[in-house]
Amino acid sequence: MDKSNLDSPHLGSKNIFEGFYELIEEHRFNAEKDFELGNFYDHLSAFDLAYQEYNFRNNELSNKIVTKYLTDSLYSFFVLFKFKGFSDRPVFYAFKKFIQFYSLLLEKSDNVQSDFFFEKNISKNFPTLFEGDYINFLSKNDFNFNLLGTSNFDEYEYIISKAEYRIALDFGIPNPISVYLKDMEEETEEPEDFVKKEFYLFVTEFKIIEYHWDSENEKFIEIDFSYEMTLDIRIDTNDNDAQLQTEILFKILSSLSNINNVKLEFEHILKGSLIVRVRAYIKDLVAKEETKAVLETTKEALIKTATAGQVSHVETKKTSAETDKIKIEQKKIEKELESLPTNLESKISNALELEKKALENENLRIRNAKEKIEIIEKLSSLATAGILEADDLKIDINEILYILKSGDSIETTDTDIDKIT
């Protein structure tokens, strides 16, 4: 491992893992310590190895993004432990949760293309590690830990204690209010409200995995998943006609909102050029594939307009929705066969019946696939028409450029839609 990847200006020539290992050794040799770290060193070593393996199998851009958020998050914990050491307090257990959660991120986030993925995982699950008083405090103070002594603790006691309290709540760990809420009148939450917190892993292919923390076995348990993507849309028209701009936006959004099990919500709208951020909540895999098909077919249609090429509709040929129906029918047939008489004549008769049903299912699959393609084509045509009405337009999916129209010029991304995280 090239440990320079994790060098931090706050640690001089050391990297963040070396800093933690040194703290662990100091704790082990401290004769006055009253708290055993248990398997903490093993957890940290496994996490270090997972990071090394991630760097080995991923491209340079992805490694830079991962390192950026990992270093910042680890440093937030490092300062807390450097100031107060390791002890039996909520933030210590929050850190053990953090390295397990981040290990899941590393496992499921190969070759990310933008900051969006890791920023969202940290900001949505652990906001105290992403922004706020404590992060501002760290950004303004370049600590020389060798010069810190007990006289410095009082100066930073308030911000450090408050940070520990907030971080523990982010991780669903209750706190002793008498300790953490001293002189913090603005903090009134009951710790119990956070004990059952769920955690959400935002991974590639628009997937969101929901986890619950199993406190007995000290590990994350997957309990559900769905899909989600963010669309940033900017629409410009020469005369800034509000009606035309909203009609264009309506056509683009209608192409997605008319897909079954897709729900759209506005996150924000800005005036001038019409600039909106829309979040798409996608309930299941079928809806995700159909959403991708509409987006890809729209992109191909725009390329055809710009280059006089042909729309291939590769993505529209997915028939995931009908596959489930066919499987159900097949299970019914298999169940019927299990209860059939054993004589040869009955077997032949029912084999013919089975073949007939299979042919009917195949015809049904083809017919439904054709209808699905026609629906997707209509939806993508609606979005294409809206985009072409704009003088200038830009669509980003999860902060990666997807479509850019400037006058008659149209630019689209070469990035595989499954890799837009």
Side-chain angles (χ1 to χ4, degrees), residues 83 149-159:
F83 269 62
T150 55
S151 61
N152 301 95
F153 290 169
D154 290 340
E155 182 180 354
Y156 300 127
E157 175 67 28
Y158 174 81
I159 191 69

Side-chain angles (χ1 to χ4, degrees), residues 30 44 71 96 128 135 148 171 181 236 270 284 300 307 338 379:
N30 181 1
L44 189 63
T71 304
K96 290 182 70 173
T128 309
I135 299 303
L148 286 174
F171 283 83
L181 290 190
D236 288 301
L270 302 177
D284 54 35
E300 290 191 23
T307 64
E338 290 175 356
L379 292 176

Side-chain angles (χ1 to χ4, degrees), residues 98-265:
F98 172 78
I99 58 178
Q100 285 200 46
F101 184 87
Y102 217 95
S103 293
L104 289 173
L105 281 180
L106 296 176
E107 177 186 336
K108 298 177 181 293
S109 60
D110 284 349
N111 290 321
V112 295
Q113 300 297 304
S114 76
D115 285 18
F116 178 87
F117 173 73
F118 277 86
E119 179 179 308
K120 190 166 187 178
N121 276 289
I122 301 300
S123 64
K124 293 295 183 181
N125 289 290
F126 319 117
T128 309
L129 298 179
F130 183 74
E131 61 184 357
D133 293 342
Y134 181 53
I135 299 303
N136 292 336
F137 167 75
L138 294 181
S139 66
K140 295 176 181 177
N141 292 275
D142 192 3
F143 300 107
N144 185 334
F145 290 108
N146 294 325
L147 300 179
L148 286 174
T150 55
S151 61
N152 301 95
F153 290 169
D154 290 340
E155 182 180 354
Y156 300 127
E157 175 67 28
Y158 174 81
I159 191 69
I160 293 296
S161 295
K162 184 178 178 181
E164 289 201 5
Y165 168 76
R166 297 303 311 175
I167 289 172
L169 291 186
D170 284 350
F171 283 83
I173 299 174
N175 291 275
I177 290 183
S178 60
V179 174
Y180 287 91
L181 290 190
K182 184 179 180 181
D183 299 324
M184 299 181 195
E185 297 179 358
E186 73 275 19
E187 308 291 359
T188 58
E189 297 96 336
E190 291 293 331
E192 289 74 18
D193 292 343
F194 295 84
V195 175
K196 296 182 180 180
K197 173 180 175 176
E198 308 302 345
F199 301 84
Y200 298 89
L201 200 67
F202 300 88
V203 299
T204 53
E205 297 187 355
F206 311 116
K207 192 173 185 180
I208 306 172
I209 309 173
E210 183 178 355
Y211 289 92
H212 173 71
W213 176 254
D214 181 351
S215 56
E216 182 176 349
N217 297 301
E218 292 191 335
K219 65 179 182 179
F220 286 99
I221 304 296
E222 181 178 336
I223 58 176
D224 199 5
F225 69 88
S226 60
Y227 302 89
E228 177 184 321
M229 68 172 125
T230 297
L231 295 98
D232 290 300
I233 305 172
R234 189 199 72 208
I235 300 171
D236 288 301
T237 54
N238 289 336
D239 55 2
N240 289 324
D241 186 296
Q243 181 176 347
L244 177 57
Q245 290 180 340
T246 53
E247 286 177 356
I248 293 170
L249 179 63
F250 174 78
K251 290 177 181 178
I252 295 171
L253 297 186
S254 294
S255 70
L256 299 178
S257 63
N258 279 289
I259 299 171
N260 288 336
N261 292 321
V262 174
K263 176 186 176 184
L264 303 181
E265 288 185 1

Side-chain angles (χ1 to χ4, degrees), residues 391-417:
D391 294 300
D392 296 292
L393 181 141
K394 183 183 181 207
I395 298 178
D396 292 343
I397 299 179
N398 294 344
E399 297 186 356
I400 292 179
L401 173 67
Y402 197 68
I403 292 170
L404 176 64
K405 181 180 185 294
S406 180
D408 295 330
S409 173
I410 295 174
E411 177 186 345
T412 60
T413 182
D414 292 328
T415 304
D416 185 337
I417 194 167

